[in-house]
Structures are given as C-alpha cells and as structure tokens.
Amino acid sequence: MTNDEVARYFNETRAHIEGNPNLRDPQVEGYVRTREHFRESTEHAILQIPVGCGKTGLMAILPFGISQGRVLVIAPNLEIRRGISTAFDIAGRECFWTTTLVLGDVQNGPYTAVLDGQDANIHDCEASHIVVTNIQQLASRADRWLPAFPDDYFDMILVDEGHHNVARSWERVFERFPNAKVVSLTATPFRGDGREIAGRRIYVYPFRTAMVRGYIKQISAVNVAPQEVLFTYRNDTRRHTLEEVLELRDEDWFSRGVALAPECNRSIVDASIQWLQHLRQTGTSHQLIAVACSVDHARQVRSLYAERGLQAREIHSNLPQNEIEEILQDLRRHRIDCIVQVRMLGEGFDHPDLSVAAVFQPFRTLSPYIQFVGRVMRVIHQDNPQHPDNRGVIVSHVGLN
C-alpha cells in the first residue's frame, strides 16, 4: 500500500466525528483544533488532555481528513502500546472506531501494524495505514526499525505522553521524518527538569471541566497536620511544631525529613483509611494507592496499613517480574486493599477502583505529582459526575508541600 493510497483512505473515508454523540468533547474539539492548525502551520502541535478523557480515542480519529499518508503512533512503554493497539484492532470487540460509530464499515481499514521484537516486519507496515510502537522498540540502539523506513514514510506522528518528546530517542524519530505532522498528547505539558517540551500548545481541556462532565472523578485534596513532628535528618533530632513545619516546608531536606517522620506517616495512614472506609459505604470495593520515598520507606508504610487491618502490598522495581505481576493481579481481583509503590504504576496504569491516593513523598515538580494522582482519576461509572463512586481523594501532610 503506497502513501498515496493511504492518503486517499484517510481523506475519502466518511468518518463520523463532528456531531457524534459517542465522542467526548475533548476528542471532537482536539480533532478540530488539530485540523485547523495543520491547514496553516507545520509546527509540532501539543494537545493537553487530562488522564481518562480519551487520548487514545482522539489519536484514533486524528488521521481522518488531516493525514496525507501513513501514520506512526508512539507510546512511551509497553503498557500504553498494548492499550492503543487494542483500541486500534478492527477485528476486536474494543475497537474504538466501531464502538463509537465513527466508522460504519471497517472492511477496508484502517489496518494497523504493531512493531515488536518478535513477529513484526516491514511488510506488515507496508500493508497498514497505521503503525503502532513504543519508543524503545522504534529508536533503540539496535536501530532495527528507523533505518528501514524512508524519510517520507510517515505523514503524521502521534506521540502519547508527549512530555517525553525532548528526550534524545524521540528527537531521533522527528529528525528521521522531518516533514511529518507531529502531534503530542499529554496531561502534563511540562517536565520535572525544567525543559520545554517541543511544539506549540494548540488545545487545552481543563481538569475542572473534565470533572464537571464526569470524564474523571471529582477530586478532593486533604492535608493532615499533627501539631508536632519528630525526625532525625542532617543531625537535626528534635520535635518541630506545626508552625516550624509550615515555615520550613519549602526546604528539600526538611520536607524529606517530614516524609519519613513516624507521626507524619501514621497521620496520613489513618486519614487515608478513614476516607477509604467512607468511600466504601456505597458498597463498591474502592482501593488505595500510596507513594513512598524508598523501598525501605514503602515497607514501613505497608506495615502501618497492615497493623490497621488492611491487606497491603508494596511494589517496586527491585522485585522479580513474576512477583510484580502477582501483586497487580491481586490488586485487580481485589485481594488487597492498598498498594504502596516506589516509582511504579505511572503512565498507562489503569485501575478505576483506585480512589484514594496517599502521598508520603514530597514532590518538587508538578508533572510527577499529576502522574501519580492520575491513578485515582479514572471514573468507575462513565459520564456520571454525581455518582458517589466517582470520587477521588488525595491525602498528604501539610509539611510535604
């Protein structure tokens, strides 16, 4: 299939987008803004859309009427890539184009090829309108894939979790296809290292509007504040009053000490359990996710939850993969109430029954904080903002800032 044939498909196929009641506002609005943008500009575009508002669906409709050739969709990890390929599978029950009635007939496509380390080859890409991959597969040091494609092979590149797009691996992709229309989709268009992500922000869908529409949970933030905190850090062993905590909380060394203080941990544990019990009064088995500073800290926090009668597990990258999978299976099957993580379960992890986020770690930048609390944003009942199960609570200590 040539790029001209792919272009004819995306421009001649009748896709029901505008006026489609099965699509969400940010999907239709993001599509229209992108179409208008590329009519007058070739600049890299950024769409800012909260977690749970339909980024994958938006990527599915963006090529229609916009792309003049084959489309490349890049995910930052395997978890997200699997979700995208499932939504783009025209033979599957979860195919986005058929479940939303965007396309009445998928006999002629769009066909999707998934690049992986085993089965995919260039012929699969030649027979497809869309190629889905993760960045490690596409731009690894082995360089299996990038040199295989001519520089005009893709007319459109869609980047999920686009705040990664200034990393060298992503830049190599953009350099390889210099004339492609690039769209980055992200909930957090900023980075912890202070670098600007590439592109111009052409569309923003507010978190508040997403809550009102019922696309994400109604989120509340709760700060606990014991009157005194005792901790040892940098040879500082004494009790600190609440006033001192508030005065010094912007200092990195101090907020980390607060995070490790026993009073702080106990107060967050107790408050988060109270909120979990409150949410469970609906009869739904809501669950709790916590973030800790280190593996040792995660063990301490998990022990506090266990002492109070919760089934709790900690998860971190030091665990064997089979144990990680076992823990996640227990979470999804509701065999545990609480999961305490250290730099895990971030982008792409989707489990709507997580409704309480307990923050035991100080965050100095907004992006990782939003990525963590995004785990409790996904709704249990779609498009129903008033449903009592569609509520999320973030519990932290006031001294963690």
Side-chain angles (χ1 to χ4, degrees):
M1 195 185 312
T2 67
N3 243 351
D4 286 341
E5 291 173 317
V6 175
R8 282 197 296 273
Y9 174 81
F10 283 129
N11 286 276
E12 295 177 5
T13 299
R14 294 184 62 182
H16 185 197
I17 298 173
E18 295 178 78
N20 186 336
N22 301 306
L23 296 180
R24 293 182 164 184
D25 293 346
Q27 292 171 333
V28 177
E29 293 168 4
Y31 168 81
V32 171
R33 293 285 182 85
T34 304
R35 184 182 61 194
E36 293 171 349
H37 170 76
F38 286 117
R39 282 175 176 170
E40 58 188 39
S41 175
T42 59
E43 188 178 359
H44 185 144
I46 301 170
L47 305 178
Q48 182 182 342
I49 300 174
V51 170
C53 286
K55 290 199 302 293
T56 300
L58 176 52
M59 287 191 290
I61 62 177
L62 278 175
F64 291 94
I66 300 176
S67 183
Q68 300 300 317
R70 198 169 274 105
V71 177
L72 176 64
V73 181
I74 313 176
N77 58 47
L78 289 174
E79 183 83 17
I80 294 176
R81 191 199 74 182
R82 280 191 286 266
I84 294 171
S85 59
T86 298
F88 284 23
D89 179 6
I90 58 175
R93 296 176 59 185
E94 299 178 47
C95 172
F96 181 83
W97 297 296
T98 54
T99 57
T100 58
L101 303 181
V102 167
L103 298 178
D105 182 2
V106 292
Q107 292 185 28
N108 298 317
Y111 303 124
T112 300
V114 180
L115 299 188
D116 56 32
Q118 301 295 326
D119 302 323
N121 57 56
I122 194 69
H123 301 295
D124 296 321
C125 301
E126 295 285 356
S128 300
H129 302 91
I130 300 171
V131 176
V132 176
T133 186
N134 56 298
I135 188 63
Q136 295 83 2
Q137 184 68 236
L138 181 65
S140 68
R141 293 179 182 176
D143 256 353
R144 174 186 174 187
W145 288 109
L146 276 184
F149 299 120
D151 60 8
D152 62 348
Y153 195 80
F154 296 106
D155 181 73
M156 174 176 273
I157 299 175
L158 305 178
V159 180
D160 199 1
E161 304 296 348
H163 48 280
H164 296 294
N165 70 19
V166 294
R168 182 55 192 152
S169 54
W170 300 83
E171 289 178 337
R172 288 183 61 217
V173 175
F174 304 146
E175 291 165 0
R176 185 71 186 84
F177 309 107
N179 297 317
K181 305 175 184 73
V182 180
V183 183
S184 290
L185 301 94
T186 179
T188 55
F190 31 76
R191 293 170 54 89
D193 59 10
R195 295 179 67 187
E196 291 286 334
I197 73 171
R200 174 155 64 96
R201 204 181 316 183
I202 65 168
Y203 179 69
V204 177
Y205 193 73
F207 279 90
R208 183 179 297 277
T209 306
M211 284 191 279
V212 170
R213 295 286 290 168
Y215 300 153
I216 63 176
K217 286 175 180 162
Q218 304 285 326
I219 301 295
S220 303
V222 177
N223 283 323
V224 296
Q227 291 303 305
E228 288 188 328
V229 175
L230 173 65
F231 65 84
T232 303
Y233 199 80
R234 288 191 174 181
N235 300 318
D236 177 11
T237 308
R238 64 185 180 87
R239 289 196 173 275
H240 297 268
T241 66
L242 179 57
E243 288 74 17
E244 290 175 308
V245 167
L246 294 175
E247 183 177 347
L248 293 171
R249 65 180 178 175
D250 287 335
E251 301 290 335
D252 285 347
W253 70 270
F254 190 84
S255 60
R256 187 170 178 83
V258 171
L260 299 174
E263 294 95 338
C264 176
N265 289 339
R266 286 195 295 267
S267 61
I268 295 174
V269 166
D270 291 338
S272 61
I273 291 175
Q274 288 176 2
W275 277 105
L276 182 65
Q277 293 170 340
H278 174 73
L279 294 179
R280 284 182 168 181
Q281 290 177 4
T282 64
T284 297
S285 184
H286 293 272
Q287 292 163 294
L288 186 155
I289 184 171
V291 58
C293 296
S294 65
V295 173
D296 286 341
H297 189 210
R299 292 190 183 116
Q300 295 168 18
V301 171
R302 193 267 306 158
S303 295
L304 290 172
Y305 281 111
E307 288 171 6
R308 287 153 175 79
L310 267 65
Q311 294 295 323
R313 298 288 298 273
E314 73 259 12
I315 187 170
H316 47 80
S317 57
N318 293 348
L319 294 174
Q321 186 59 39
N322 63 330
E323 187 173 350
I324 291 174
E325 292 173 359
E326 175 191 329
I327 293 170
L328 294 180
Q329 187 176 70
D330 286 346
L331 179 72
R332 291 190 171 103
R333 293 182 176 179
H334 290 268
R335 293 172 178 165
I336 58 179
D337 305 297
C338 166
I339 189 164
V340 184
Q341 57 102 359
V342 183
R343 292 181 290 277
M344 296 277 288
L345 308 186
E347 297 165 346
F349 184 76
D350 181 3
H351 184 58
D353 289 336
L354 289 171
S355 298
V356 178
V359 182
F360 294 86
Q361 169 195 324
F363 286 95
R364 288 302 171 194
T365 55
L366 195 55
S367 183
Y369 174 78
I370 291 179
Q371 289 296 333
F372 171 65
V373 301
R375 298 320 103 207
V376 301
M377 286 185 179
R378 293 191 180 272
V379 295
I380 295 173
H381 303 278
Q382 294 291 325
D383 305 329
N384 189 348
Q386 302 306 317
H387 198 289
D389 281 333
N390 286 343
R391 184 174 184 187
V393 181
I394 306 162
V395 182
S396 183
H397 186 281
V398 67
L400 293 181
N401 195 23

